[in-house]
Amino acid sequence: MRLRVRILTLIALLTVLGTAAAVADAKRPSRAKLRAIAAQHCAGADLRPTATNLKRIRDAVLCLHNKVRAQNGLAPLRENRRLRRAARAHSYDMAAAGYFEHTAPGGTTMVDRILRTDYVSKSRGWMLGENLAWGTGSRGTPRGAMKAWMHSPGHRANILKPGFRELGVGVVARVPVGGAAGATYTVDFGVRR
């Protein structure tokens, strides 16, 4: 079986009137806490997504992100339901409509999707990022997607951006092209000032 994975990354640094977002670093966790996170086993990391295990898949993606961040001395990310809603809708839309881009064919951008969830507003400072992936076989698992992201400078930068505090994971057990069994992932990162 031939395995394929495609990945895209996007980061938006936006605030009111286009000024730079000043994001203060949160209190850094203790070394002991970071070691404990880095050593944890991420259950479900090697599962292939199906319609019945998507919560386990999302939990594994969050765990893998926090494991990598801890290994690099960074605070863990918290799951945010609004970011998850934006990410999930985008993964479903890409798989259903057969495209793989940060911007939908109708012109809706990552920022548009996240603004609609009320995670951020145009009147406050914020920083957002997005990683996309799709894959089949082992590359469609959370570990497969994470490995691909970590081998891509832009994706790695989003994962290891110290300023991000939250993320939402959207996954669908379909790929956007070819009809093969696999998964499409959207991970939306954010921080609000």
Side-chain angles (χ1 to χ4, degrees), residues 92-116:
Y92 276 95
D93 190 52
M94 287 189 295
Y99 71 96
F100 185 68
E101 301 291 336
H102 292 285
T103 302
T108 302
T109 67
M110 169 197 67
V111 173
D112 297 329
R113 291 190 308 274
I114 294 172
L115 282 170
R116 275 192 226 136

Side-chain angles (χ1 to χ4, degrees), residues 33-118:
K33 182 174 181 174
L34 289 175
R35 279 194 302 273
I37 293 169
Q40 73 185 2
H41 170 72
C42 294
D46 296 310
L47 286 176
R48 293 183 185 182
T50 68
T52 61
N53 69 0
L54 297 181
K55 167 115 176 53
R56 289 181 67 199
I57 299 296
R58 288 193 318 267
D59 290 346
V61 171
L62 174 61
C63 178
L64 290 167
H65 276 74
N66 284 336
K67 185 175 178 99
V68 168
R69 287 176 63 89
Q71 290 166 347
N72 286 276
L74 299 172
L77 299 167
R78 294 177 310 276
E79 184 181 31
N80 179 279
R81 66 181 174 83
R82 290 179 176 168
L83 288 174
R84 181 179 65 229
R85 190 173 24 179
R88 183 178 55 223
H90 192 56
S91 288
Y92 276 95
D93 190 52
M94 287 189 295
Y99 71 96
F100 185 68
E101 301 291 336
H102 292 285
T103 302
T108 302
T109 67
M110 169 197 67
V111 173
D112 297 329
R113 291 190 308 274
I114 294 172
L115 282 170
R116 275 192 226 136
T117 69
D118 293 325

Side-chain angles (χ1 to χ4, degrees), residues 95-173:
Y99 71 96
F100 185 68
E101 301 291 336
H102 292 285
T103 302
T108 302
T109 67
M110 169 197 67
V111 173
D112 297 329
R113 291 190 308 274
I114 294 172
L115 282 170
R116 275 192 226 136
T117 69
D118 293 325
Y119 174 72
V120 293
S121 70
K122 291 181 179 181
S123 64
R124 303 197 76 177
W126 41 268
M127 178 173 60
L128 303 170
E130 182 170 83
N131 285 354
L132 304 177
W134 73 263
T136 60
S138 64
R139 293 183 185 186
T141 66
R143 191 178 313 279
M146 191 68 172
K147 182 177 179 182
W149 287 325
M150 290 304 291
H151 284 91
S152 166
H155 299 97
R156 183 181 173 88
N158 274 347
I159 293 165
L160 297 177
K161 184 166 256 338
F164 285 141
R165 296 288 172 255
E166 298 174 306
L167 90 162
V169 178
V171 60
V172 61

